[in-house]
């Protein structure tokens, strides 16, 4: 992949920000989105490359905002070669290494998590696919190991299982239109996702997962890497 345009949702920190930096360092053009204007500005100021980096305040779970992000990317850079559905989060009652369950969590906190984690990737696929099809592009969905192995009564895990299914049914559709689809499943990663919760010593930095995203985007024409799972050594589940 040389001099391509990539849109990454939820990319002001963690895996998305690491992927954006890698892509910029390799000469690509990148649009990053985030809901927090302050975090977005800090990322843009820190990262540089104003000629090849576009930052947009955007909610991945909002259809009009997602359409606008794609349209503004195409307007700024002349096209769209790849889209990465990275935006996602766990509701506050899930944010511990022990996790919460459907039976002791707070239902009032769940709708935004479901909308961002499940609806968000579908909206990005819907908005981006016509542009990706025009150039034989690629779509990457960031899932999770908990979308491959169940956690007891854990709704965050269920949202990532939905992403696993979505990735495959998008692939079945998109491959007939010349578009590659990849699901990248991180294990325990040390990112702001966990906020102030203590993580196991084996937790990975976000860069290896970002490298996996770039690996999927870098495949030659005709090659479609469909699933990449990245766990730290030491993570048993």
């Amino acid at each position: 992949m040389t001099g391509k345009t990539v849109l990454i949702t939820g990319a002001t920190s963690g895996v998305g920000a690491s992927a954006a930096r890698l892509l910029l360092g390799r000469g690509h053009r990148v649009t990053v989105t985030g809901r927090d204007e302050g975090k977005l500005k800090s990322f843009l100021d820190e990262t540089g490359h104003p000629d090849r980096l576009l930052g947009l305040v955007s909610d991945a779970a909002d259809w009009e905002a997602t359409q606008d992000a794609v349209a503004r990317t195409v307007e700024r850079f002349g096209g769209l070669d790849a889209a990465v559905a990275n935006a996602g989060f766990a509701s506050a009652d899930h944010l511990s290494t022990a996790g919460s369950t459907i039976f002791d969590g707070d239902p009032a906190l769940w709708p935004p998590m479901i909308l961002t984690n499940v609806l968000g990737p579908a909206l990005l696929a819907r908005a981006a696919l016509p542009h990706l099809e025009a150039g034989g592009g690629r779509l990457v969905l960031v899932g999770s190991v908990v979308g491959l192995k169940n956690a007891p009564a854990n709704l965050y895990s269920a949202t990532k299982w939905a992403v696993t299914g979505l990735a495959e049914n998008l692939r079945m559709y998109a491959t007939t239109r010349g578009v590659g689809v990849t699901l990248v499943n991180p294990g325990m990663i040390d990112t702001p996702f966990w906020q102030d919760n203590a993580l196991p010593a084996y937790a990975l930095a976000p860069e290896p997962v970002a490298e996996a995203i770039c690996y999927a985007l870098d495949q030659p024409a005709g090659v479609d890497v469909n699933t990449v799972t990245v766990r730290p050594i030491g993570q048993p589940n």
Side-chain angles (χ1 to χ4, degrees):
M1 190 173 70
T2 303
K4 301 292 187 180
T5 297
V6 184
L7 167 62
I8 309 174
T9 63
T12 58
S13 64
V15 169
S18 294
R21 292 189 187 100
L22 283 175
L23 290 165
L24 288 165
R26 297 172 187 181
H28 304 300
R29 300 170 294 274
V30 181
T31 295
V32 298
T33 74
R35 292 185 296 181
D36 187 311
E37 185 174 3
K39 288 182 179 179
L40 180 63
K41 184 178 185 306
S42 295
F43 175 78
L44 296 176
D45 290 344
E46 168 202 343
T47 305
H49 300 289
D51 57 326
R52 293 188 286 113
L53 177 61
L54 174 64
L56 301 173
V57 176
S58 182
D59 182 350
D62 182 275
W63 171 231
E64 290 186 358
T66 301
Q67 285 182 297
D68 183 66
V70 170
R72 291 176 65 181
T73 298
V74 172
E75 180 182 4
R76 170 72 180 272
F77 297 124
L80 181 66
D81 301 293
V84 180
N86 172 72
F89 72 97
S91 58
D93 58 346
H94 284 73
L95 284 174
S96 73
T97 52
S100 176
T101 75
I102 289 173
F103 301 103
D104 59 18
D106 182 355
L109 300 176
W110 298 344
M113 174 178 68
I114 296 169
L115 290 172
T116 300
N117 295 1
V118 182
L119 180 63
L123 294 180
L124 182 63
R126 174 69 172 82
L129 188 61
H131 302 281
L132 302 180
E133 185 175 351
R138 297 184 183 274
L139 176 67
V140 175
L141 279 64
V142 178
S144 173
V145 164
V146 298
L148 304 176
K149 297 177 69 70
N150 265 308
N154 184 278
L155 188 59
Y156 172 74
S157 174
T159 69
K160 290 302 185 178
W161 275 90
V163 175
T164 298
L166 179 63
E168 174 59 11
N169 66 44
L170 286 173
R171 184 202 67 80
M172 294 171 69
Y173 179 86
T175 194
T176 63
R177 288 155 174 79
V179 175
V181 177
T182 301
L183 174 67
V184 175
N185 295 308
M188 186 68 74
I189 306 296
D190 185 1
T191 75
F193 174 94
W194 294 104
Q195 298 182 10
D196 297 325
N197 292 284
L199 291 175
Y202 57 67
L204 286 175
E207 285 77 13
V209 182
E211 288 281 7
I213 292 171
C214 292
Y215 170 76
L217 298 179
D218 269 339
Q219 293 305 302
V223 177
D224 194 10
V225 174
N226 300 134
T227 305
V228 180
T229 301
V230 184
R231 286 184 179 90
I233 291 177
Q235 179 176 339
N237 295 321

